[in-house]
Amino acid sequence: ESNMVPGLTTEMLEPYAGRVMVGFEESRSHYDDPGKVVVTGTPVRTDFFRYTRKEARAELGLTDDRPLVLSVWGSLGAEVMNGYMTDFIRRAVREGAPFHHIHGAGKSGYPVLLEQLRGKGVDLADHPALQVREYIYDMAPVMRAADLVICRAGASTISEITALALPTIIVPSPYVANDHQVKNARILAQHGGACLIREEESSGDKLYRTARDILTSPTRRASMSRGMAELGILDATERIYQTVMELVK
């Protein structure tokens, strides 16, 4: 109580306690009192909806019809997964860059990945369709332009890819509490929107083959997009607001 607002007591707050806001209907069963669970989703910044796909591609300077792959492992990157992306990018080079690719390697992973590529004889200056960035500062147009995302299964990322209905290869982080990213990823996979690959089962070649198979099948891409759209919550901010206001009333 020493950290509470002056004048408030635990007894005064008790009537307002006991609401849990979650991202998926499937989350309800994990709580002792499902009636207190409200599916609100996680808010997505409005700039993610500012662009059409065509406008986003123009903003990024993509002038041909090749699809765009976005891969990112979080702001800090992930050493193991960045190693796999080295092999992923090398294969894309060998096959003539059949798609555009923007990879966010993270602050620590960025110089390491570039050095690994150079050590394998790959100079990205010779392959402008394949970009490795330390951090993706313009995530809104990049994600809006993307045809396929390869990523972890954190709450914010999931809210963005489902809101934009983006087909996804999802590799949940094994280094989080209660393995919650695997649980998140399974829901996406069950709805058909994502291909779930565990980190211990991953490789650069497997990720590349999976991405290629998705990108070369318009039917599969459309089906995955529909699966993601089923889970997308575009009015998460309003739902959270309404939940809070109902408690206040």
Side-chain angles (χ1 to χ4, degrees):
E1 290 186 359
S2 62
N3 294 322
M4 293 168 57
V5 177
L8 289 180
T9 66
T10 301
E11 290 75 16
M12 292 169 64
L13 290 172
E14 184 61 30
Y16 305 106
R19 289 291 187 274
V20 180
M21 291 178 275
V22 299
F24 303 121
E25 180 62 36
E26 288 87 344
S27 302
R28 194 183 298 278
S29 63
H30 294 285
Y31 293 89
D32 294 334
D33 188 349
K36 291 186 176 181
V37 175
V38 183
V39 180
T40 62
T42 302
V44 176
R45 299 197 317 267
T46 55
D47 56 342
F48 277 79
F49 308 105
R50 186 190 313 162
Y51 303 88
T52 64
R53 179 178 178 273
K54 181 178 180 180
E55 290 169 343
R57 287 180 65 89
E59 174 112 347
L60 298 176
L62 306 183
T63 58
D64 57 37
D65 294 330
R66 282 178 291 175
L68 170 64
V69 174
L70 163 65
S71 58
V72 62
W73 308 119
S75 59
L76 298 179
E79 182 178 357
V80 172
M81 298 310 301
N82 274 335
Y84 293 151
M85 295 316 294
T86 301
D87 295 331
F88 185 106
I89 293 169
R90 287 179 61 213
R91 181 155 179 184
V93 168
R94 290 199 305 272
E95 297 192 4
F99 46 76
H100 294 277
H101 183 193
I102 297 176
H103 175 60
K107 184 174 182 180
S108 60
Y110 177 72
V112 175
L113 198 156
L114 291 182
E115 183 60 32
Q116 288 175 341
L117 286 171
R118 283 192 291 266
K120 299 293 185 178
V122 176
D123 185 347
L124 290 180
D126 299 327
H127 307 281
L130 309 175
Q131 299 180 33
V132 174
R133 304 186 190 179
E134 179 178 6
Y135 188 77
I136 301 175
Y137 292 97
D138 55 343
M139 184 60 84
V142 169
M143 190 169 283
R144 189 67 185 88
D147 297 279
L148 176 69
V149 178
I150 307 174
C151 63
R152 293 298 203 189
S156 294
T157 299
I158 283 178
S159 66
E160 292 160 1
I161 59 179
T162 55
L164 296 176
L166 289 171
T168 300
I169 299 171
I170 201 153
V171 186
S173 172
Y175 314 110
V176 296
N178 299 318
D179 214 17
H180 69 262
Q181 286 206 6
V182 172
K183 298 180 177 68
N184 289 344
R186 281 176 180 158
I187 293 174
L188 301 184
Q190 288 165 3
H191 282 259
C195 179
L196 168 59
I197 302 178
R198 301 291 290 260
E199 182 171 300
E200 60 270 22
E201 301 168 346
S202 296
S203 69
D205 185 65
K206 184 171 185 176
L207 291 169
Y208 186 91
R209 284 186 285 106
T210 304
R212 180 197 60 198
D213 291 347
I214 293 171
L215 291 173
T216 55
S217 174
T219 301
R220 185 177 181 188
R221 282 165 58 183
S223 175
M224 292 180 74
S225 183
R226 288 193 297 271
M228 291 302 242
E230 291 175 2
L231 295 166
I233 298 177
L234 305 183
D235 62 341
T237 302
E238 179 64 20
R239 293 190 187 196
I240 292 170
Y241 173 79
Q242 292 298 336
T243 300
V244 173
M245 292 307 295
E246 286 173 9
L247 290 174
V248 171
K249 292 175 183 177

